Amino acid sequence: MHKKIEVLKKELSKAVIGQEQMIDGLLIGLLSDGHILVEGVPGLAKTTTITTLSKALGLESKRIQFTPDLLPSDIIGAQIYNPQTNDFGIKKGPLFTNLLLADEINRAPSKVQSALLEVMQERQVTIGDETFRIESPFLVMATQNPIEQEGVYALPEAQLDRFMMKLVVTHNSEEDELTIMRKAATKSFGKVEAVLTKEELQTLKDAVSQVYVDGEVERYIVQLIAATREPERFGLESLKTDLMYGASPRASIDLYKAAKAKAFLRGNDHVTPADIGFVLHDVLRHRIVLSYEARAKGVSPDEIISKIVQEVPIP
Amino acid sequence: MKNSLGKKIATVLIFFSIVLLYGEGFTSNAMLNKKNAYIKEPVLLTFDINQTDHSKVMIFDFTLKESDAYEFHRLDAKEVDSYQKAKIHYTYLIYPLKSGVIDIGFQLIQKVTTKENVTYSFSGDRDNVKNITTTDTPIGLEPLQLTVKPLPEGTQLVGDFTLTHQIKTLEAHAYEPIPFNVEIKGEGYPPIVENIFVSKDDYTIFQEAPVANAIRTAENTYNTVIYSLALNAKKSFTLDEIEINSFNPTTQKSYILTIPKQEFKINPVADSALVDKVDSPAPLKATDWSWAGTLLGYIVVFFSGFLTAKSVQWHQKEKLRSDPFIEKITRTNDPKKLLSLLIAEDSKKFASAIEKLEAHLYSKKPLDLRAIKKELHA
């Protein structure tokens, strides 16, 4: 089963150089029905990665560029009057796809963000009187640009919570960049073929759900989340003033699912604390709310998570 | 009237040495103005080329062959500027340098081309020069022979010269330079004579290279050569008479150019007036130890650089030692604690160490904690 993942990764590497973290994040999201928020500067192959993944899986992908004048109907669809039939017809929006790249999600007003995030959660769309199911697999990869802060609508914490993971994508290594430069100049990126079918993807998802999680490991997950809410219980009194809100129960669920997917991607049939550790920062960094004091001190969510990991006893 | 007729007859008789040649579409004619000459006596050579085939464009490359039997100077090359009716008249002044019968050789290259090629070569501009494509044919010409007579023994100059000299003063202080100029003027072979002036025990001669100025004409070379000298001595001395044996080939007579004997009075200089009063003074320091100071400087600079580089290294090590993460790793001996520390870092570079710890903790595989710590420190 794990071999299929290796084949998929090999196919992706034809068009995407480096960016293993983003690829792993997308696969975790895909295998555990989560959505991914990606933060990174422009030009880090975000669009390329998602289109390549859709090609390799034989899935449909679409991209929506979020702008301040975007309306909810632009993404979910609308009822259009047909003068020939003298009736209203349904025009489905770009949300009806398998892999959706929501580019610069924080550029659109909150009503558009809410419309998207609702679909992400409910996996269904209502246009007029009709409700449509979004076909599985459905994964949204939303991007945020950390550089531009003018004219953006920051996502509220409650909506951020709907993303399983927030990946912070950095630049490639110099070696990878050299390879990208040469391949781009000579247009020698390989042609990506579909190596998995929808059915095979479903089989992989089923296999992920079968990954065993020991009771102690489950408790470890819960303790890690609990430490974000009540740090003093774990000897982290100093964090009490730094944290305004801890992670929600959705964080425990997503950490659990992400750790299982990570273990599967690593070729294991059981989850270890290391699997949790590999996904912990990505799952939690957008779910904890820092206090004003912490922000004034320049403390980042990642630092808080690191302190929690060090103090919560590992099983 | 008689003289005039005589000169004309003599001139006709002199033009003995003539070579006529009928080449490929042209004729050439070489001529010397005399058959016999003394060594270094001027001989005039004329060489004419006349194109006879006017259907082609001809260009000629002519010169005399280099030889140690004579030296030559091109005086003129008159050319009729028509590519298909070339007519060139060369004039050379030759000075034979060896006695006996000498051959005066020629080098002639005939270059044949077309009018179109010439036009094409002119079509470029200054920075796009085009060569004319030509068919080159070296033409073999018979050398002209000249009988050269030897000079009377001891002859130093050949020609008709006069000598003047100028001495600034006949009285000077010891070692004070006395400027002395000698000028030789007249027509003939350039009057450069080596070693006319030689230092002796009681005086020293300082001499510059002679300044020679020569104007060449069809008859001869007009020369002005100036020898600039300076004399100095410790005591009064006599400059002996200098004689330069000369020969005039026109009159065929020898004559002598003379610089008469000169008496110079040298006044001694009082020791008290000298800057350096001691002859060959002893060195100021017995031993020169300045090299030791320089060496010490180099050693100090070397060690400064070495210690600076080392201090950067020490500083980096110290920084590494004071890194709280490294310190925590060093202090931790519990694999679980170490695993949580590495997970907390959220860095891909610790993935390998995490996997090893994981394998030990949850799959009971052996673990070399020291090796992992060493890997992490690196």
Side-chain angles (χ1 to χ4, degrees), chain A residues 266 272-273 277 281 306 310 315, chain B residues 328 337 343-344 346 355 358 362:
Chain A
R266 293 177 65 214
T272 68
H281 287 76
S306 294
Q310 286 181 42
Chain B
K328 275 183 193 172
K337 189 71 193 159
I343 289 172
D346 188 30
E355 277 170 5
E358 184 191 26
Y362 306 110

Side-chain angles (χ1 to χ4, degrees), chain A residues 20 220 266 268 272-275 277-278 281-282 285 302 306 309-311 314-315, chain B residues 328 336-337 339-341 343-348 350-351 354-355 358 361-363:
Chain A
E20 291 90 359
Y220 179 59
R266 293 177 65 214
N268 297 332
T272 68
D275 295 316
F278 283 130
H281 287 76
D282 294 336
R285 68 165 63 95
D302 281 333
S306 294
V309 175
Q310 286 181 42
E311 293 308 320
I314 212 160
Chain B
K328 275 183 193 172
K336 277 190 183 177
K337 189 71 193 159
L339 179 62
S340 65
L341 277 174
I343 289 172
E345 282 301 303
D346 188 30
S347 173
K348 231 169 71 178
F350 300 133
I354 289 174
E355 277 170 5
E358 184 191 26
L361 289 169
Y362 306 110
S363 304

Side-chain angles (χ1 to χ4, degrees), chain A residues 15 39 48 82 86 109-110 123 126 140 170 211 236-237 259 284 292:
Chain A
E39 193 174 271
T48 309
N82 187 341
N86 202 20
S110 52
R123 292 179 185 254
T126 304
V140 175
T170 52
V211 171
L236 290 160
E237 280 79 9
L284 287 188
Y292 289 114

Side-chain angles (χ1 to χ4, degrees), chain B residues 85-352:
Chain B
K85 295 174 185 173
K87 206 171 186 182
I88 310 165
H89 178 77
Y90 298 95
T91 314
Y92 284 85
L93 192 64
I94 297 170
Y95 286 103
L97 300 175
K98 280 184 178 172
S99 60
V101 178
I102 62 168
D103 287 343
I104 296 168
F106 308 105
Q107 277 181 340
L108 177 64
I109 297 169
Q110 181 194 24
K111 298 180 169 195
V112 178
T113 185
T114 61
K115 218 170 179 178
E116 289 72 30
N117 283 342
V118 175
T119 312
Y120 173 74
S121 75
F122 285 158
S123 65
D125 46 27
R126 277 182 300 178
D127 54 356
N128 183 19
V129 177
K130 294 163 185 168
N131 286 332
I132 304 179
T133 311
T134 56
T135 308
D136 297 358
T137 314
I139 306 293
L141 293 176
E142 282 297 314
L144 283 180
Q145 288 193 327
L146 180 69
T147 307
V148 183
K149 293 179 276 186
L151 293 166
E153 206 176 336
T155 302
Q156 290 168 284
L157 298 182
V158 179
D160 184 10
F161 298 109
T162 56
L163 184 145
T164 53
H165 71 277
Q166 226 180 358
I167 300 169
K168 193 179 176 185
T169 177
L170 293 174
E171 189 173 343
H173 289 293
Y175 300 114
E176 184 187 346
I178 304 165
F180 180 21
N181 277 357
V182 176
E183 186 179 85
I184 302 173
K185 246 176 155 178
E187 61 177 59
Y189 189 78
I192 310 277
V193 188
E194 282 177 18
N195 304 323
I196 312 175
F197 310 103
V198 185
S199 296
K200 290 195 173 170
D201 290 343
D202 47 356
Y203 61 88
T204 310
I205 291 180
F206 302 95
Q207 188 175 347
E208 285 182 10
V211 179
N213 184 20
I215 301 164
R216 290 187 185 89
T217 67
E219 285 79 33
N220 212 330
T221 303
Y222 292 90
N223 302 281
T224 306
V225 178
I226 298 168
Y227 295 84
S228 296
L229 317 155
L231 304 166
N232 85 1
K234 192 178 178 183
K235 296 176 196 166
S236 298
F237 67 96
T238 304
L239 180 69
D240 294 332
E241 184 180 76
I242 296 169
E243 291 184 340
I244 302 169
N245 294 323
S246 308
F247 176 74
N248 186 345
T250 313
T251 59
Q252 300 190 17
K253 281 182 182 169
S254 292
Y255 61 99
I256 295 172
L257 299 173
T258 311
I259 302 169
K261 177 178 152 185
Q262 305 287 344
E263 297 284 345
F264 291 90
K265 189 183 173 193
I266 303 297
N267 301 315
V269 178
D271 285 352
S272 59
L274 296 174
V275 178
D276 290 327
K277 298 177 180 68
V278 184
D279 205 13
S280 300
L284 289 174
K285 287 180 188 173
T287 314
D288 183 9
W289 288 103
S290 63
W291 62 270
T294 312
L295 182 67
L296 190 67
Y298 282 124
I299 291 169
V300 168
V301 169
F302 171 77
F303 275 104
S304 309
F306 180 75
L307 291 175
T308 308
K310 272 284 170 199
S311 74
V312 171
Q313 242 180 19
W314 292 329
H315 183 68
Q316 278 174 345
K317 274 187 186 169
E318 197 56 42
K319 206 176 157 188
L320 211 63
R321 259 185 235 128
S322 62
D323 184 338
F325 177 65
I326 299 290
E327 209 180 308
K328 275 183 193 172
I329 286 176
T330 313
R331 278 195 281 115
T332 308
N333 288 318
D334 176 14
K336 277 190 183 177
K337 189 71 193 159
L338 188 58
L339 179 62
S340 65
L341 277 174
L342 298 181
I343 289 172
E345 282 301 303
D346 188 30
S347 173
K348 231 169 71 178
K349 65 181 175 183
F350 300 133
S352 147

Side-chain angles (χ1 to χ4, degrees), chain A residues 42-236:
Chain A
L44 295 178
K46 296 186 284 271
T47 313
T48 309
T49 307
I50 202 153
T51 47
T52 308
L53 183 63
S54 70
K55 278 184 198 165
L57 293 171
L59 300 174
E60 191 190 355
S61 75
K62 282 185 182 157
R63 175 178 177 273
I64 307 170
Q65 177 66 50
F66 278 58
T67 55
D69 58 351
L70 203 70
L71 294 171
S73 58
D74 293 334
I75 61 166
I76 61 173
Q79 280 187 312
I80 307 283
Y81 177 68
N82 187 341
Q84 284 168 339
T85 59
N86 202 20
D87 199 2
F88 284 89
I90 301 292
K91 172 79 179 159
K92 287 181 180 175
L95 267 182
F96 290 87
T97 186
N98 298 120
L99 304 182
L100 178 73
L101 174 64
D103 220 354
E104 296 191 278
I105 190 170
N106 53 344
R107 286 209 172 275
S110 52
K111 58 185 175 185
V112 183
Q113 293 173 356
S114 299
L116 173 70
L117 296 164
E118 195 182 338
V119 178
M120 282 162 57
Q121 185 66 30
E122 307 303 330
R123 292 179 185 254
Q124 65 178 34
V125 179
T126 304
I127 306 170
D129 299 332
E130 279 192 71
T131 300
F132 300 92
R133 262 301 316 141
I134 302 285
E135 268 188 48
S136 186
F138 177 60
L139 175 123
V140 175
M141 182 171 111
T143 71
Q144 278 194 147
N145 183 346
I147 296 173
E148 292 160 286
Q149 298 300 324
E150 292 290 323
V152 295
Y153 301 86
L155 287 166
E157 282 73 17
Q159 293 187 346
L160 278 173
D161 201 26
R162 311 246 174 126
F163 287 101
M164 180 186 237
M165 297 205 288
K166 180 184 175 182
L167 307 175
V168 177
V169 183
T170 52
H171 286 286
N172 281 304
S173 65
E174 281 185 25
E175 277 304 309
D176 285 344
E177 193 144 344
L178 194 68
T179 313
I180 293 166
M181 188 177 74
R182 284 177 181 156
K183 287 201 169 192
T186 54
K187 294 181 180 167
S188 56
F189 285 108
K191 194 184 174 195
V192 179
E193 307 283 350
V195 289
L196 285 182
T197 60
K198 271 188 193 177
E199 291 72 32
E200 282 173 320
L201 182 65
Q202 188 54 50
T203 317
L204 292 177
K205 283 166 80 172
D206 294 342
V208 169
S209 66
Q210 298 299 315
V211 171
Y212 174 71
V213 189
D214 190 77
E216 275 193 63
V217 175
E218 285 175 337
R219 261 192 295 280
Y220 179 59
I221 292 173
V222 174
Q223 283 183 333
L224 285 169
I225 303 301
T228 65
R229 298 171 198 151
E230 295 169 293
E232 67 277 9
R233 263 182 57 202
F234 298 88
L236 290 160

